Amino acid sequence: MSGVNSSSLTLAFFIFQGVPGLEAAHIWISLPFCLMYIVAVLGNCGLLYLIGHEEALHRPMYYFLALLSFTDVTLCTTTVPNMLCIFWFNLKEIDFNACLAQMFFVHMLTGMESGVLMLMALDRYVAICYPLRYGTILTSPVIAKAALVTFLRSVMLIVPFTFLTKRLPYCQGNLIPHTYCDHMSVAKVSCGNVKANAIYGLMVALLIGAFDICCISVSYTMILRAVVSLSSADARHKAFSTCTSHICAIVITYVPAFFTFFTHRFGGHNIPHHIHIIVANLYLLLPPTMNPIVYGVKTKQIRESVIKFLLGERQALPKANDA
């Protein structure tokens, strides 16, 4: 069998199928994905630049947003360039160990993204429920420790994926019906028992996704109680408006994630496989693309920083020309 070491049943490489059933449309499918990737990279790098250089954005809320932007741009960069090589140049092979590395980073970064959204919900809770103590509670060391714990949680929970997948025997082919190395997509190529992979994958989903959603729900329940108790309608609107960008980010991230998770396990026979693949790619691309746009439109301080930056550039051009 091509790409298989018969003595150890370990593959030398995998071959991606892209979007099975829509091979003839790969070029057309790649165009919106490529555009979204460009927007994601420019938008998130722009946010990171603004947060790093604008004093007005040196606050806990924007530090968490910078962490989200860094996670998002890294996440889509682990998959999209490889995906475009499949669509444009028919480069479908990936080394076995490179596939495991990609699988690790994809799942680790999605776990990290979920954790950052949870930290941002806690940030909004402290800002609205304890406004006078906001700066003393969320100090720089606290933010750094929270980010480190979130990172270590993702790494420690996702590392076993690579060992569980590597131990499997691969004797029934090396075709992955996907555009990147997803844990269960790779495991299902195996001819071994993948029950442990499925159970551990569900456990990780509960430990990361369910836990984070629970924390987010509790935070917003407390926020709603605090906002409703305010006497002024204007104060209620102002307090809750600071959460709208984060709520949009939650919806953008978790809706495709829930669709992918539940249809993969409970409705997979009723939905065409190419729909699964496209939604799985949107799950990785949509949040990095939309989050900078949402925060840029909804957050006054970011809008003002963008305008200040653009006006500063325009004023600098005439001076440069005069020189």
Side-chain angles (χ1 to χ4, degrees), residues 226-259:
V227 170
V228 168
S229 67
L230 295 173
S231 56
S232 167
D234 184 59
R236 288 196 295 269
H237 173 74
K238 186 177 180 181
F240 198 70
S241 65
T242 64
C243 301
T244 54
S245 300
H246 183 246
I247 292 171
C248 290
I250 291 169
V251 172
I252 291 166
T253 300
Y254 284 114
V255 168
F258 281 142
F259 179 88

Side-chain angles (χ1 to χ4, degrees), residues 7-322:
S7 61
S8 63
L9 297 179
T10 298
L11 289 172
F13 59 86
F14 288 109
I15 298 176
F16 292 118
Q17 287 185 278
V19 184
L22 296 179
E23 288 85 357
H26 273 180
I27 293 294
W28 297 107
I29 294 170
S30 71
L31 297 180
F33 285 159
C34 180
L35 179 62
M36 291 172 71
Y37 179 61
I38 292 171
V39 172
V41 171
L42 293 178
N44 285 289
C45 289
L47 271 180
L48 288 169
Y49 177 83
L50 283 177
I51 293 169
H53 286 78
E54 287 293 328
E55 287 287 338
L57 301 181
H58 290 178
R59 295 171 55 194
M61 171 184 173
Y62 302 109
Y63 292 147
F64 287 127
L65 178 57
L67 182 58
L68 181 66
S69 291
F70 178 78
T71 303
D72 279 345
V73 75
T74 308
L75 174 60
C76 60
T77 300
T78 61
T79 57
V80 177
N82 187 69
M83 180 202 315
L84 295 178
C85 285
I86 296 169
F87 291 157
W88 292 347
F89 309 114
N90 205 35
L91 299 176
K92 298 183 177 183
E93 289 187 9
I94 184 171
D95 179 77
F96 180 80
N97 290 320
C99 182
L100 293 181
Q102 185 186 55
M103 181 184 71
F104 167 77
F105 281 108
V106 166
H107 290 288
M108 186 274 288
L109 290 166
T110 52
M112 185 73 183
E113 182 177 50
S114 177
V116 174
L117 288 174
M118 182 263 292
L119 293 177
M120 294 174 81
L122 296 177
D123 166 79
R124 292 298 82 207
Y125 164 71
V126 174
I128 292 173
C129 297
Y130 302 98
L132 299 179
R133 297 173 56 196
Y134 180 63
T136 58
I137 294 175
L138 291 178
T139 60
S140 295
V142 169
I143 294 170
K145 289 175 184 176
L148 180 61
V149 168
T150 303
F151 172 74
L152 292 176
R153 180 192 68 164
S154 293
V155 170
M156 291 172 65
L157 288 174
I158 300 304
V159 161
F161 277 164
T162 58
F163 294 106
L164 286 171
T165 305
K166 192 167 187 176
R167 70 177 177 84
L168 293 170
Y170 294 89
C171 54
Q172 59 182 17
N174 61 349
L175 294 177
I176 298 178
H178 215 306
T179 57
Y180 62 88
C181 291
D182 171 74
H183 172 229
M184 287 310 297
S185 295
V186 175
K188 287 180 178 178
V189 174
S190 165
C191 55
N193 187 346
V194 298
K195 187 176 180 180
N197 296 67
I199 292 173
Y200 186 74
L202 182 61
M203 186 176 75
V204 170
L206 292 174
L207 290 173
I208 293 180
F211 175 80
D212 292 345
I213 291 169
C214 182
C215 290
I216 290 169
S217 300
V218 171
S219 296
Y220 273 100
T221 300
M222 301 300 289
I223 288 170
L224 282 172
R225 289 178 59 184
V227 170
V228 168
S229 67
L230 295 173
S231 56
S232 167
D234 184 59
R236 288 196 295 269
H237 173 74
K238 186 177 180 181
F240 198 70
S241 65
T242 64
C243 301
T244 54
S245 300
H246 183 246
I247 292 171
C248 290
I250 291 169
V251 172
I252 291 166
T253 300
Y254 284 114
V255 168
F258 281 142
F259 179 88
T260 301
F261 181 81
F262 286 113
T263 57
H264 184 71
R265 284 160 177 78
F266 306 113
H269 300 296
N270 301 321
I271 299 174
H273 188 63
H274 63 266
I275 299 296
H276 283 287
I277 304 303
I278 291 173
V279 173
N281 283 288
L282 288 175
Y283 165 51
L284 299 184
L285 256 177
L286 195 61
T289 303
M290 294 304 299
N291 285 342
I293 297 172
V294 168
Y295 275 94
V297 171
K298 294 284 187 181
T299 309
K300 180 182 177 182
Q301 289 86 346
I302 292 178
R303 288 201 309 270
E304 290 176 349
S305 296
V306 171
I307 292 170
K308 179 182 175 182
F309 173 77
L310 293 176
L311 290 177
E313 288 292 319
R314 288 179 181 177
Q315 291 171 359
L317 285 175
K319 293 181 180 178
N321 292 332
D322 292 342

